[in-house]
Amino acid sequence: MDEHEHPHVATVGSYVVIFLILVALTVLTVFTALSPLGHWHAPVALGIAVVKATLVFLFFMHLLHSPKLTWLVAGGTFVWLGIMFALTLADYWSRGIVGRYQ
Amino acid sequence: MATVPLAHHFRTPAQQHHAALLGMWMFLITEVLLFGAVFLGYVVYRANPALHGGFVAASEHLGQSVFGFEHVPFLGAFNTVILLGSSFTMALAVRAAQVGNQSSLVRNLGLTMILGTIFLGIKAYEYHHDWDIGLIPGFKFDKAAWAGTGVDARHVELFFVFYFVLTGLHAIHMFIGMGLLGVLWVRSRMGRFGREYYTPIELAGLYWHFVDVVWIFLYPLLYLIRH
């Protein structure tokens, strides 16, 4: 809605639905933490967190109906965060491979 | 109706509104990198096999015995729902401003502040509990309690350094958010916002939702991942 005079107004019902989904995902993440998932605990818990965060971004923070420039800025966040995580972990997680760690 | 002067470098109030929102998103990027750096430090130590046992044992201590739940991180889960609820009422407050519903705006801003206060109250109770059982690194850490458990007390202490820096940084953001909402609540009661002008409400909403998103990641990372 680039610079239109009237913003997109979501219905109260749609906010209720998003809120209930977020609560359900919170309950789900507690149950998965108590389940025998072995090595899958971290990926599942973080995956659920990413879904919850995406719902908050898109609907509560109105990203879905924001101009493309806002999408670019919001997306840029993850580019910078990705660079920080990728380069740092590439160092720490490769030290055992070259046999000089521990 | 409430309006704000149009700065000379904008063509329309709508353009001015969008520029303000974009600026807020830019600020939130810097916030993501602030929290992201501490998250990264946590991940680096957490992924180190030598420290894993200490971190898991420390995380178990976040599930205080409440309502008969011994190891379920009940308070953390309850607080997550409280904070999601506050984001919900904040979203309704922004919507109320968009449609010019004055009483709904004031009511939802008030509800958001009440839920934020409940969250901080529970957080304070958790911190108090940590103090009682000696889990405060550097100030009141009970190293002797870990003797003979097979867990290195220094690793437990390191986990709690991350726990208090992350949740403390988050709590500071909550206090700032509460301050912003307090000012906006008073200004809303004075009738300063309406359909034509509600930029500050939407900016505070973006900030509040962002703080919610930080907690969405803090909760599983600190309280749940124990394997």
Side-chain angles (χ1 to χ4, degrees):
Chain A
M1 55 154 213
D2 294 77
E3 294 165 28
H4 289 178
E5 287 297 326
H6 296 291
H8 173 87
V9 180
T11 61
V12 173
S14 68
Y15 286 129
V16 172
V17 169
I18 297 301
F19 172 63
L20 292 178
I21 293 173
L22 288 170
V23 172
L25 287 172
T26 304
V27 173
L28 181 69
T29 199
V30 172
F31 273 104
T32 56
L34 301 171
S35 310
L37 294 179
H39 291 301
W40 287 94
H41 273 282
V44 168
L46 288 175
I48 293 173
V50 167
V51 172
K52 288 167 74 178
T54 306
L55 288 174
V56 172
F57 280 134
L58 287 180
F59 296 98
F60 283 178
M61 296 173 85
H62 300 161
L63 194 57
L64 192 62
H65 294 280
S66 290
K68 286 194 175 63
L69 188 56
T70 311
W71 279 85
L72 187 67
V73 170
T77 309
F78 303 104
V79 174
W80 300 122
L81 198 64
I83 291 171
M84 182 164 71
F85 269 74
L87 294 187
T88 307
L89 295 180
D91 173 7
Y92 279 100
W93 289 359
S94 64
R95 290 188 186 185
I97 297 171
V98 292
R100 293 189 56 195
Y101 190 42
Q102 292 170 344
Chain B
M1 186 49 77
T3 54
V4 70
L6 185 66
H8 72 274
H9 50 283
F10 292 117
R11 276 182 287 114
T12 64
Q15 188 193 29
Q16 182 165 274
H17 179 75
H18 283 302
L21 294 186
L22 194 64
M24 193 66 194
W25 277 100
M26 289 284 186
F27 167 67
L28 294 182
I29 284 193
T30 69
E31 290 279 74
V32 167
L33 293 176
L34 169 68
F35 280 99
V38 191
F39 271 130
L40 178 57
Y42 176 79
V43 169
V44 166
Y45 282 105
R46 179 63 197 251
N48 186 334
L51 280 74
H52 188 256
F55 270 42
V56 169
S59 181
E60 291 277 348
H61 269 267
L62 296 178
Q64 288 103 339
S65 177
V66 184
F67 304 134
F69 292 102
E70 197 59 51
H71 293 292
V72 180
F74 181 82
L75 281 181
F78 184 70
N79 244 355
T80 305
V81 174
I82 292 290
L83 206 55
L84 291 171
S86 78
S87 253
F88 170 63
T89 56
M90 188 70 228
L92 292 186
V94 173
R95 185 185 182 278
Q98 285 175 331
V99 299
N101 186 338
Q102 187 75 18
S103 62
S104 172
L105 170 60
V106 173
R107 185 174 64 246
N108 280 303
L109 285 178
L111 282 172
T112 307
M113 283 192 286
I114 290 169
L115 290 168
T117 308
I118 294 173
F119 178 93
L120 287 170
I122 291 173
K123 202 73 231 163
Y125 171 81
E126 288 189 84
Y127 280 5
H128 180 258
H129 178 83
D130 296 337
W131 176 271
D132 274 350
I133 61 176
L135 291 174
I136 316 290
F139 290 96
K140 190 170 179 290
F141 191 80
D142 188 3
K143 273 200 168 68
W146 298 92
T149 58
V151 171
D152 191 332
R154 292 172 306 170
H155 298 167
V156 176
E157 202 169 4
L158 185 60
F159 173 88
F160 277 97
V161 169
F162 278 109
Y163 171 77
F164 283 109
V165 169
L166 280 168
T167 59
L169 200 57
H170 180 263
I172 289 170
H173 280 78
M174 291 284 294
F175 277 112
I176 293 169
M178 299 280 285
L180 292 174
L181 291 183
V183 172
L184 292 180
W185 185 76
V186 171
R187 291 182 67 198
S188 295
R189 282 180 63 99
M190 291 160 66
R192 295 289 171 83
F193 304 113
R195 291 174 64 145
E196 302 304 315
Y197 176 63
Y198 58 91
T199 307
I201 305 282
E202 191 157 6
L203 295 183
L206 285 178
Y207 177 84
W208 192 265
H209 296 312
F210 164 78
V211 174
D212 189 19
V213 167
V214 170
W215 183 261
I216 285 174
F217 284 96
L218 280 184
Y219 175 61
L221 274 178
L222 294 173
Y223 288 77
L224 292 183
I225 302 173
R226 296 172 175 178
H227 301 271

